[in-house]
Amino acid sequence: MKYRILLLFLLAASLSARASHIVGGEFELIRIQNFEYRLNLVLYFDQLNGLAGAKDQSIVARIYRMSDNALMTNVFLPLTSESDVLYTQPLCSNGELVTRRLFYTTLITLSPTLYDHPGGYYVSWERCCRNYNISNIFSNDPASSSSFAGQTFYLEFPPVVKDGQPFVDSTPRLFPPLNDYACPHRPYYTDFGGIDDDGDSLVYSLVTPLSTRAAIALPPSTPRPYPNVVYRPPYGPGNILNGAPDLRISTDGFLTVTPTTRGLFVFAVRVEEFRNGKKIGETRRDFQMLVVDACPIAVPPQILGKKLTDPTYTYDGVMNVTFANTVSDADRCIKVRVSDADSESINDNFQERVRIKAVALNFKKDLSGILPAVVDATLINGSTVEYTICFPQCPYFVGGTPVIGIVAMDDACSLPLSDTLKVSVFVVPPPNTKPRFTSTTPVNATLPEGTQQAWPYSVVDDDGDPLVISVLPLGFTLPPAGMTFTTFNQVNGAANGQLLWNAYCDIYDFTQRTAFQVTIRVDDMDLCMIPDPANAVYNLNVILPGNADPIIDSDLTPSPTERRVNVTRRINESLAFTVTGKDLVDNDYLVLSSKGAGFTFAEASVAVAPVPATGFGQVSSSFAWNIGCTTVDLGKKDTYDFQFIAVDNANKCRIYKADTLDVQVKVLPPLNQPPQINVVNNSDPGVVYSNGVVSLTMGPSINLLLTGTDGDAVPKQDKLTLDLTSASGNVTPAGFMFKKVEGTSPVMSALTWTPDCSIFKNGVYENEYTFVFHLADDHCLTEKKDSVEVTIRIKDIDGSDGKFIPPNFVSPNGDNKNDYYAMEMLVPETGELQNILPNDNCQSRFEFVRIYNRWGKEVFQSSARDFRWFPDETAAGVYFYSIKFSQKEYRGSLTVRY
């Protein structure tokens, strides 16, 4: 034994000075009975560094549904026990690692009405924090750093029922972890494998440990996904311990590593559970490994072998032995010798404890019986120890050579060092004569349906051994197929009986199969129970009675044997036909059914009556489809395959006979007449409308009546929408009115507008506008439109003054000529007076006229365009006038003469 108590303790204490409490752990879900389960949580607690307050007296786990993370229930688990996690070599324990196993458990019921989702469920619980001095991940005190690391305990399990039947499963139970430390540059190993109560396959792999979302002691429970811990460089998923080789785990759970540096390292093992090749569950175990650099120097023991007749031990590593079946039990043995150089070392007080064990290397079996009663010894001053290992008379298995490992182990810390002698053991079994059939085999027979036949068998064993008789049908069971197997007489070494077949359709549905193979297997119970059976093979067939095929037909074509019919219809059209199934030869009971390929009749509003149609000899169904716009979306599907099948499966032997008809309907868009817009000019005089252009000079009002019409009336009148979709111009039009209208043909609305001077902007007095009107129908799938573009041109009134010459003479002498002063001119052709002032327009308007005498005194004023000044009492002479417009002024003189 190696003692380095003080140094190991000090080094381990320095690594653990500021550690928190979580070492690792896992969930288990064990079925008790029916739908009652026991949920366990195992938490590994750092007893040296964990605070007493961190040892939870209970926890609350949560169960979620895998498919959508729905919360199923909360589960309260009390702490029921705690125990130490032991060393592989108890004498190696010096207090540097003290891990406690905390066990939380409760009984729960998983209701089959709630836990039946095929995707399964998972259990989780989050706890913070892991040890603060872990070397390969960031796991700091949350009080001083954001780089914390907690642990999410996680387990997946399948539903408790599948396909309506109970699905019995318990999750794997992992072997307890070892409380060992590892040493740099020395191989470390441990078995993390477990057992599965249901015999499911378990596959092990290393994964990144899970952390928690929050840095508080008990984070709020949340559904997945859960965060991973963060590795410190250079560590990572492929470099967990920086080992050479690094940490690995075999698929059956054997963990190995050769560390290179000291430290405390966390890792996680995922165990996936498979049944029939399909994954049904998963559990995870987190744990940590301490690597110290004060491991004692040790060398492994050496084991050598020899045959009983050999003078010396010459087999090192590999040994092959063969024993005839005439060898006695005392001679069916080998000898091994174990030595260990450490027994000659002063550091080990010149002694070393060794022991041996036997391991089956290429088969599974407990081999403790081949070892001597005493398997351990203490070597002193370089002494050796010898063991005799004897093998049984019967071989361990047939068809190969068993390989047995004889392992010699010492008591090195922290794990034993070992040496293995691999012994290939071939034992010739005792002689045995296999059973034999005395009846004729194999048997090949064919029976007409409705008959029966029996085939006798007899078998003997010349050694008189007890017989084990089995009947092995290939892919079926005997009684439902009308077969019985009977053994009439059986004694040691002999037996006889018969195989009877009643080949009747009313017993067995021969539509499933008409050929049957039955094997009668007989094995003897010889001394070594080596399987070497005799087989009698019966190949049996049945001939079924004849049955005519049914025929299906429709009135879509004149052919009575049509198999596929292509039809074209438009939306808003209908399709109607009749399908008939016939079996006039046998007059059997027929079932005529129909379905849509990828759609249901209800979705497409298809009517079939009756559904299904049944009867003897001949049945018919009527098909009617009014192809409506609301039930057919040509953007998704424009071809509809209707399948019709006439089935005759009610004949004597339920022989399935059928005929099918496929009707493919290509659906086209409906026909549609485009709508039309008509424009009628109902404006004031002066508004001219021609070829889409409205022309006017400022003054009259615009009134354009727009009428929308549509000629479609089947299946109903289209709904029309008449609207003004745009109005633009060199100046944005304003002040007009147009109301959007909807309805069936005809629809009408008017554009009305009385323009004023506000339409002119920026010194531009001739505007052009464009109005676009749209008329749309709502015809199914083939909507159509019409549009009209109306151009409106509006110009200002002509206010030019090029010909305006104000009069300058008044003679109020009573001769009715020039008796007053006015802006008038006589039109000779009509004899009427015409105002000669420039026209008022949006640019300039008449405001007033004023007349002054030569001293500047106003003698007349008027704001009327048709003013008249009668200077009856005014002195003759020269006067001055001012004619004021908003944008200009006319001044001049006039003479008053009597």
Side-chain angles (χ1 to χ4, degrees), residues 9 12-13 16 19-23 43-50 55 82-87 93-102 131 178-181 264 287-288 290:
F9 179 82
S16 306
S20 185
H21 70 285
I22 295 179
V23 174
L43 188 149
Y44 299 106
F45 188 93
D46 185 346
Q47 189 69 13
L48 290 179
N49 303 288
K55 188 177 292 184
E82 57 177 292
S83 58
D84 286 332
V85 177
L86 301 178
Y87 277 74
S93 173
N94 298 311
E96 64 275 2
L97 285 176
V98 181
T99 303
R100 297 282 284 174
R101 181 180 185 268
L102 307 185
N131 285 344
L178 304 177
N179 199 25
D180 299 325
Y181 55 84
L264 185 64
F287 211 67
Q288 59 190 33
L290 177 64

Side-chain angles (χ1 to χ4, degrees), residues 628-643:
C629 187
T630 58
T631 56
V632 173
D633 185 351
L634 295 185
K636 297 179 179 179
K637 186 180 183 67
D638 64 355
T639 301
Y640 290 79
D641 290 308
F642 296 91
Q643 300 173 348

Side-chain angles (χ1 to χ4, degrees), residues 528-781:
C528 290
M529 298 296 292
I530 297 175
D532 188 17
N535 295 318
V537 180
Y538 297 75
N539 294 302
L540 309 178
N541 294 274
V542 65
I543 299 176
L544 301 179
N547 183 43
D549 294 333
I551 297 175
I552 194 170
D553 185 24
S554 76
D555 57 4
L556 288 170
T557 71
S559 172
T561 59
E562 57 195 356
R563 176 62 183 83
R564 183 179 184 86
V565 179
N566 296 315
V567 179
T568 300
R569 289 290 188 278
R570 291 187 179 276
I571 288 182
N572 297 328
E573 296 180 348
S574 62
L575 175 63
F577 56 90
T578 299
V579 179
T580 302
K582 299 178 182 180
D583 189 0
L584 302 181
V585 175
D586 302 317
N587 201 40
D588 285 334
Y589 185 79
L590 296 180
V591 177
L592 177 61
S593 60
S594 55
K595 66 177 182 178
F599 65 96
T600 66
F601 282 12
E603 291 171 345
S605 297
V606 175
V608 179
V611 180
T614 60
F616 291 91
Q618 180 170 320
V619 292
S620 296
S621 283
S622 62
F623 176 98
W625 188 19
N626 293 319
I627 307 174
C629 187
T630 58
T631 56
V632 173
D633 185 351
L634 295 185
K636 297 179 179 179
K637 186 180 183 67
D638 64 355
T639 301
Y640 290 79
D641 290 308
F642 296 91
Q643 300 173 348
F644 301 87
I645 182 168
V647 177
D648 161 23
N649 62 351
N651 51 76
K652 174 184 177 183
C653 287
R654 299 180 295 278
I655 302 171
Y656 184 86
K657 291 293 185 72
D659 191 18
T660 59
L661 170 66
D662 292 335
V663 177
Q664 185 180 87
V665 182
K666 175 72 173 179
V667 180
L668 302 178
L671 297 175
N672 183 22
Q673 299 184 50
Q676 292 184 335
I677 301 177
N678 184 47
V679 181
V680 176
N681 184 15
N682 291 333
S683 307
D684 291 347
V687 177
V688 178
Y689 176 71
S690 176
N691 295 325
V693 179
V694 175
S695 302
L696 70 152
T697 298
M698 181 67 70
S701 295
I702 301 171
N703 187 322
L704 299 180
L705 178 63
L706 289 93
T707 302
T709 58
D710 187 276
D712 293 308
V714 177
K716 62 180 181 178
Q717 281 189 292
D718 292 339
K719 178 182 177 182
L720 301 180
T721 300
L722 179 61
D723 194 12
L724 172 63
T725 58
S726 68
S728 59
N730 57 323
V731 176
T732 303
F736 64 87
M737 293 184 62
F738 184 86
K739 182 179 180 181
K740 175 183 176 180
V741 291
E742 296 179 345
T744 57
S745 180
V747 293
M748 291 180 288
S749 186
L751 173 69
T752 58
W753 192 10
T754 303
D756 57 29
C757 288
S758 64
I759 71 172
F760 297 125
K761 305 290 184 181
N762 302 321
V764 178
Y765 293 93
E766 184 170 346
N767 291 354
E768 181 171 301
Y769 305 95
T770 300
F771 291 80
V772 179
F773 301 90
H774 275 201
L775 175 66
D777 65 20
D778 67 343
H779 205 75
C780 170
L781 299 178

Side-chain angles (χ1 to χ4, degrees), residues 138-357:
F138 289 102
S139 180
N140 302 323
D141 187 343
S144 58
S145 173
S146 61
S147 299
F148 71 93
Q151 178 175 350
T152 295
F153 297 79
Y154 182 80
L155 169 75
E156 295 177 6
F157 63 93
V160 298
V161 291
K162 278 189 176 181
D163 300 325
Q165 299 298 319
F167 190 79
V168 177
D169 180 64
S170 293
T171 61
R173 291 181 289 159
L174 304 184
F175 292 146
L178 304 177
N179 199 25
D180 299 325
Y181 55 84
C183 305
H185 308 291
R186 182 178 296 179
Y188 176 92
Y189 59 88
T190 186
D191 189 356
F192 255 33
I195 59 174
D196 188 272
D197 295 338
D198 311 299
D200 295 322
S201 299
L202 303 181
V203 177
Y204 297 77
S205 60
L206 292 172
V207 292
T208 300
L210 298 177
S211 185
T212 56
R213 288 192 175 93
I216 59 178
L218 292 170
S221 296
T222 55
R224 61 180 191 176
Y226 301 105
N228 290 328
V229 299
V230 179
Y231 284 100
R232 297 179 186 269
Y235 301 101
N239 184 30
I240 298 174
L241 265 74
N242 199 29
D246 197 48
L247 190 66
R248 298 288 185 267
I249 193 167
S250 65
T251 56
D252 56 358
F254 196 73
L255 196 75
T256 59
V257 65
T258 300
T260 60
T261 56
R262 64 187 292 271
L264 185 64
F265 302 91
V266 69
F267 62 93
V269 173
R270 177 176 60 191
V271 188
E272 296 174 286
E273 183 182 8
F274 290 84
R275 183 175 299 179
N276 298 324
K278 183 177 182 181
K279 181 178 175 179
I280 62 172
E282 172 185 316
T283 189
R284 299 171 67 113
R285 168 184 282 180
D286 285 20
F287 211 67
Q288 59 190 33
M289 181 183 299
L290 177 64
V291 181
V292 301
D293 60 1
C295 296
I297 299 173
V299 295
Q302 183 185 38
I303 184 170
L304 300 175
K306 77 180 188 69
K307 300 174 184 177
L308 295 181
T309 57
D310 292 342
T312 59
Y313 289 91
T314 58
Y315 293 101
D316 185 2
V318 177
M319 182 175 183
N320 299 298
V321 292
T322 300
F323 299 102
N325 55 22
T326 58
V327 175
S328 66
D329 291 346
D331 293 331
R332 200 180 302 108
C333 305
I334 64 170
K335 296 183 73 67
V336 297
R337 185 181 71 190
V338 178
S339 61
D340 194 312
D342 287 333
S343 67
E344 302 177 79
S345 171
I346 189 173
N347 294 328
D348 297 297
N349 201 23
F350 299 103
Q351 65 181 17
E352 185 80 358
R353 291 183 59 82
V354 295
R355 58 190 173 92
I356 63 170
K357 67 177 181 178

Side-chain angles (χ1 to χ4, degrees), residues 17-38:
R18 299 185 64 249
S20 185
H21 70 285
I22 295 179
V23 174
E26 70 268 357
F27 273 118
E28 298 173 341
L29 183 64
I30 309 301
R31 180 178 180 268
I32 305 302
Q33 61 180 358
N34 297 328
F35 300 106
E36 186 179 30
Y37 291 76
R38 179 170 293 281

